[in-house]
């Protein structure tokens, strides 16, 4: 079996950027499309700058996955409306509009390939596929598990003193009324 060579992450970023620019040169897509593109580009750049960590690639894969779904919705909802508003009113030519729409569709079709190649980079940087959607530090107390409130153990960040059940623990300097 012949292994597919992994393209450089910079090349993937350049292709994504170029197709995205061509897709938005005619203003038929909503502003949220531009926001989706910018978030993907930010994660691309983060993964280029931070070459040791796999977390930027993890965020990039999630962003591209959401982008595929959003592109389907954008193209489905705005293609015919954009043609009516822009082409029939003479604001842009039909060729410009079709080129812009074609680049948006091509970028959408290539996103699964981007995800595949980014996943290969993710594995090269030491990412674990079993922990792909488990983000480090997303929840504050991931390692500690469930903490029973009735045990009387101090809550993280608190003093462990309950002023309602144990008023003797409350000092006058600790709780002040405003």
């Amino acid at each position: 079996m012949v292994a597919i060579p992994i393209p450089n992450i910079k090349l993937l970023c350049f292709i994504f950027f170029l197709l995205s620019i061509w897709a938005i040169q005619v203003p038929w897509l909503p502003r949220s499309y531009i926001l989706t593109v910018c978030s993907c580009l930010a994660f691309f750049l983060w993964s280029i700058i931070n070459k040791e960590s796999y977390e930027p690639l993890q965020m990039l894969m999630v962003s591209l996955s959401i982008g595929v779904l959003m592109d389907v919705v954008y193209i489905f909802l705005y293609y015919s409306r954009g043609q009516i508003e822009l082409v029939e009113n003479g604001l842009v030519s039909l060729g410009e509009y079709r080129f812009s729409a074609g680049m948006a569709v091509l970028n959408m079709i290539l996103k699964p390939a981007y995800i595949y190649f980014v996943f290969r980079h993710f594995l090269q940087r030491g990412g674990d596929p079993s922990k792909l959607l488990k983000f480090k530090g997303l929840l504050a107390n991931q390692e500690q598990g469930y903490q029973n409130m009735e045990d009387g153990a101090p809550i993280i960040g608190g003093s462990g003193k309950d002023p309602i059940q144990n008023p003797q623990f409350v000092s006058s300097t600790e709780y002040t009324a405003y």
Side-chain angles (χ1 to χ4, degrees), residues 59 133-142:
M59 293 298 293
L133 293 178
K134 296 178 184 173
F135 295 100
K136 232 178 6 178
L138 189 60
L139 301 174
N141 300 326
Q142 284 181 344

Side-chain angles (χ1 to χ4, degrees), residues 41-115:
L41 283 173
F43 291 130
F44 262 121
L45 294 176
W46 184 26
S47 64
I48 290 170
I49 292 169
N50 193 353
K51 294 180 181 180
E52 292 82 28
S53 178
Y54 62 85
E55 289 177 343
L57 298 172
Q58 189 177 17
M59 293 298 293
L60 178 59
M61 283 188 288
V62 170
S63 180
L64 287 170
S65 300
I66 292 170
V68 170
L69 299 174
M70 297 302 291
D71 285 355
V72 170
V73 171
Y74 294 144
I75 293 169
F76 178 75
L77 290 178
Y78 292 98
Y79 180 77
S80 61
R81 187 176 100 180
Q83 187 172 359
I84 292 170
E85 289 179 4
L86 297 172
V87 176
E88 292 181 7
N89 290 332
L91 299 174
V92 296
S93 70
L94 183 61
E96 290 173 322
Y97 180 73
R98 286 185 178 167
F99 178 77
S100 176
M103 293 302 111
V105 170
L106 181 62
N107 203 11
M108 179 188 67
I109 291 171
L110 287 178
K111 279 185 183 178
Y114 297 143
I115 294 169

Side-chain angles (χ1 to χ4, degrees), residues 17-34:
F17 175 74
L18 189 66
L19 292 176
S20 299
I21 291 298
W22 284 340
I24 60 176
Q25 73 180 356
V26 175
W28 65 279
L29 290 164
R31 290 186 182 134
S32 53
Y33 179 83
I34 298 171

